Amino acid sequence: IYVDEPLLYDNFPSDFMWAAATSAYQIEGGWDADGKGLSIYDIWMNDPNHVSDGSSGKVACNSYYFYQKDIEALQSLGVSHYRFSISWARVLPDGIGRINQPGIDYYKRLIAALKAVNIEPMVTLYHWDLPQALESMGGWLNPNIADWFEEYARFCYTEFGNDVKYWITVNEPWVIAYQGYGSGNTAPGTYGPGTYTYQVGHHIILAHARAYRAYETSFKPTQNGKVGITVNINWYDPKDDQLENIDAAERALQFLGGWIANPIYGTGDYPDVMKQKVGDKSAQQGFNQSRLPEFTAEQKVLVQGSADFFGLNYYTSYLTANKIQDISIIDYGYDQDIESYSDPTCYQSSFDWLTITPFGMRKTLNWIKDRFNDPEIIITENGISDRSGNVDDMMRVYYYKHNINSMLKAIKDGVRVTGYAAWSLIDNFEWGNGFTQKFGLFSINFETTDLNRTAKASARYYAKLVKDNGFTADQPCNNTPI
Ligand code: GBH
């Protein structure tokens, strides 16, 4: 049964990074402005069947033109950092080769305007919007993507690196690999849930590592920044204390988080439980080798330790049980032999996958510390949606209060969390859910052309928390908007 945990009234370390986050396709608009190339999402979202409200990100929050409105919102939050992503096709329209100077200039203006008001950029190189020109050559299924991604990363370090101290190579490999090329329910919509999923995951890890090593060798000595990758992890609790369910919960965590994190932050290789499950099933299914690719000895050296920090997107938790799945189904989901579901006693957001489970924040952070050699961790996303966009957003105030407090408890446990980015700065284009799921600290009326950003109660709550750098005993604890 879910119960509120008492808040810990204490402060964050004085140099803690407070941020809000967005991504290019979800906010920028300007989909074909000034020489931008097409990305796979420009193509995918052109089909109204792919979006619940038939909308697209063609205009979105129009941040390509209205970025000053975003910066004003950030200033009113008092945050030290802004996490945004670069649209690859905006700066390199074909993904490699030819550059698009107006696209480069846009990010230079944005970065300069942020720095002018003492907000540091935290830049994601890849938040899912692959240039279509690269998808035409196989996209993330083509092993050459490691070369392409390194070229793009070097280009960004060269153009923007003097002003960027935090780089996130890839946002949520799981979504790209399993949803983009596995179930195929998001761009590019390629179907291969038990095969392509693992191949794409493999190529993402290698591409990330190449981008990391390029920075380490050629840029870090002069630019002094840090490079990491962002992994999405849900917390999984066993549904009861039976050993098989305890094992199932750990297996769920390893398949979701360990898949990407164990090669990079751990042993240089996939988790044993993944190698064993996918290997055994592949053999039973008649494959002559495991559907999970293997790293060569050189690749292990390339990959292991290829990050200066661990980016974590944490939203929610599930209950888990062991469940032996049908061997005839070739699917990353089925390979795990688990079932998982939301605890019905937890508060539900407007998204079926997202219940309010602040306790999972602390548990996930401790799990990462214990499994992956105590890395520096930055929470690169955490947040909750509703459908109304109401500025009186008590539920979101509650979510942030308790999740951030749970993170504070993890810090007191000894987990090295150095920053936190709320998802999201503004209501924006929520992928397949269009504008129907609103995550913003600021609301936007998408019926208007000015698309002004209006602070919600959660924005005022977050601003106070940031200003106090933590939780003060005199802070209203009854969810009263400040
Ligand atoms: C983040 O991913 C994204 O980084 C961000 O762009 C997005 O706006 C934000 O979530 C809010 O959705 O429908 O059962 O298949 C969070 C991790 C992974 C959570 C995919 C939802 C789909 C579950 N997401 N998952 S399901």
Side-chain angles (χ1 to χ4, degrees):
I1 301 288
Y2 176 69
V3 284
D4 277 12
E5 283 186 22
L7 292 178
L8 172 65
Y9 289 100
D10 209 332
N11 290 104
F12 285 84
S14 58
D15 55 355
F16 195 79
M17 298 180 279
W18 292 106
T22 61
S23 87
Y25 187 75
Q26 295 179 271
I27 67 160
E28 283 179 356
W31 68 282
D32 67 345
D34 305 334
K36 177 182 166 294
L38 292 181
S39 85
I40 56 175
Y41 275 99
D42 293 314
I43 311 280
W44 181 258
M45 297 303 183
N46 231 353
D47 181 344
N49 295 320
H50 291 156
V51 192
S52 66
D53 60 0
S55 66
S56 78
K58 280 198 164 91
V59 178
C61 312
N62 216 13
S63 293
Y64 184 66
Y65 300 102
F66 290 165
Y67 65 91
Q68 280 293 356
K69 298 186 193 221
D70 297 336
I71 295 177
E72 281 161 30
L74 289 158
Q75 277 186 279
S76 72
L77 292 176
V79 291
S80 58
H81 289 69
Y82 176 38
R83 177 181 179 229
F84 63 90
S85 80
I86 293 177
S87 158
W88 187 343
R90 196 182 288 293
V91 295
L92 300 175
D94 305 318
I96 48 176
R98 189 167 67 91
I99 67 166
N100 181 42
Q101 192 60 43
I104 300 165
D105 293 343
Y106 165 66
Y107 294 108
K108 290 208 163 157
R109 285 197 299 280
L110 171 61
I111 291 169
L114 286 167
K115 292 188 79 87
V117 294
N118 288 314
I119 298 172
E120 286 292 319
M122 185 182 281
V123 180
T124 309
L125 288 172
Y126 187 76
H127 200 120
W128 310 348
D129 46 356
L130 189 73
Q132 178 60 31
L134 299 182
E135 179 56 30
S136 303
M137 296 190 279
W140 286 101
L141 280 168
N142 186 332
N144 294 334
I145 190 111
D147 297 331
W148 308 334
F149 192 70
E150 181 185 336
E151 177 181 330
Y152 166 57
R154 282 181 179 275
F155 170 81
C156 291
Y157 302 150
T158 304
E159 290 291 336
F160 313 116
N162 286 335
D163 292 316
V164 177
K165 299 302 157 213
Y166 283 88
W167 293 100
I168 294 148
T169 55
V170 178
N171 182 68
E172 299 187 351
W174 182 92
V175 170
I176 303 160
Y178 189 47
Q179 301 204 295
Y181 295 84
S183 64
N185 62 18
T186 194
T190 303
Y191 185 78
T195 50
Y196 293 164
T197 299
Y198 296 114
Q199 293 162 27
V200 166
H202 201 69
H203 295 157
I204 292 172
I205 292 165
L206 293 170
H208 154 80
R210 291 274 297 277
Y212 178 84
R213 298 301 174 199
Y215 190 82
E216 184 182 44
T217 310
S218 310
F219 297 90
K220 199 171 196 170
T222 52
Q223 296 183 348
N224 286 307
K226 293 186 178 184
V227 179
I229 186 169
T230 282
V231 183
N232 54 306
I233 305 183
N234 313 305
W235 181 251
Y236 293 89
D237 270 322
K239 76 164 193 184
D240 56 30
D241 56 10
Q242 284 193 57
L243 195 57
E244 62 171 27
N245 295 333
I246 294 171
D247 286 349
E250 175 68 17
R251 203 156 65 239
L253 287 160
Q254 290 292 351
F255 265 83
L256 178 62
W259 177 20
I260 308 303
N262 205 58
I264 296 171
Y265 303 88
T267 63
D269 199 359
Y270 293 116
D272 286 340
V273 69
M274 275 187 88
K275 291 199 285 187
Q276 181 224 315
K277 278 277 179 201
V278 184
D280 288 356
K281 293 203 180 210
S282 300
Q284 288 178 59
Q285 291 158 343
F287 290 86
N288 55 22
Q289 57 186 35
S290 177
R291 289 179 277 106
L292 182 68
E294 280 179 27
F295 292 109
T296 65
E298 300 91 277
Q299 286 173 339
K300 284 183 187 167
V301 173
L302 172 77
V303 165
Q304 189 177 27
S306 64
D308 300 314
F309 64 90
F310 189 119
L312 170 67
N313 287 358
Y314 172 78
Y315 285 87
T316 196
S317 307
Y318 299 96
L319 294 174
T320 321
N322 183 48
K323 183 182 183 192
I324 303 303
Q325 300 283 4
D326 183 346
I327 191 70
S328 72
I329 299 175
I330 297 163
D331 187 312
Y332 157 92
Y334 288 75
D335 285 341
Q336 302 178 39
D337 285 333
I338 59 159
E339 66 179 351
S340 63
Y341 54 93
S342 300
D343 180 340
T345 72
C346 292
Y347 300 113
Q348 181 74 47
S349 75
S350 58
F351 248 142
D352 53 1
W353 58 268
L354 208 179
T355 54
I356 303 185
T357 61
F359 56 86
M361 169 71 90
R362 182 182 186 177
K363 290 183 177 182
T364 302
L365 288 168
N366 275 283
W367 184 82
I368 293 169
K369 173 185 159 68
D370 293 345
R371 298 294 184 283
F372 308 117
N373 301 309
D374 191 15
E376 174 184 348
I377 304 174
I378 299 173
I379 309 290
T380 44
E381 284 179 34
N382 175 238
I384 187 171
S385 63
D386 58 44
R387 288 184 182 274
S388 72
N390 202 325
V391 294
D392 225 347
D393 58 339
M394 293 300 193
M395 187 103 135
R396 188 166 293 102
V397 171
Y398 178 94
Y399 182 96
Y400 280 123
K401 178 188 292 182
H402 286 272
N403 274 279
I404 293 171
N405 202 260
S406 187
M407 168 175 71
L408 178 60
K409 289 171 182 164
I411 292 173
K412 299 294 171 189
D413 295 337
V415 184
R416 298 198 300 128
V417 188
T418 60
Y420 174 91
W423 183 273
S424 179
L425 177 65
I426 45 183
D427 288 346
N428 59 47
F429 181 74
E430 178 52 35
W431 307 108
N433 290 274
F435 296 101
T436 67
Q437 294 281 358
K438 298 169 193 295
F439 278 87
L441 291 163
F442 288 77
S443 78
I444 292 178
N445 179 351
F446 291 97
E447 305 299 312
T448 62
T449 50
D450 60 29
L451 297 170
N452 283 335
R453 287 67 166 139
T454 305
K456 301 181 186 176
S458 55
R460 283 189 280 278
Y461 178 80
Y462 189 52
K464 168 94 163 64
L465 209 159
V466 168
K467 186 155 172 274
D468 294 344
N469 197 35
F471 295 80
T472 59
D474 62 355
Q475 187 167 26
C477 54
N478 60 354
N479 290 342
T480 308
I482 294 157

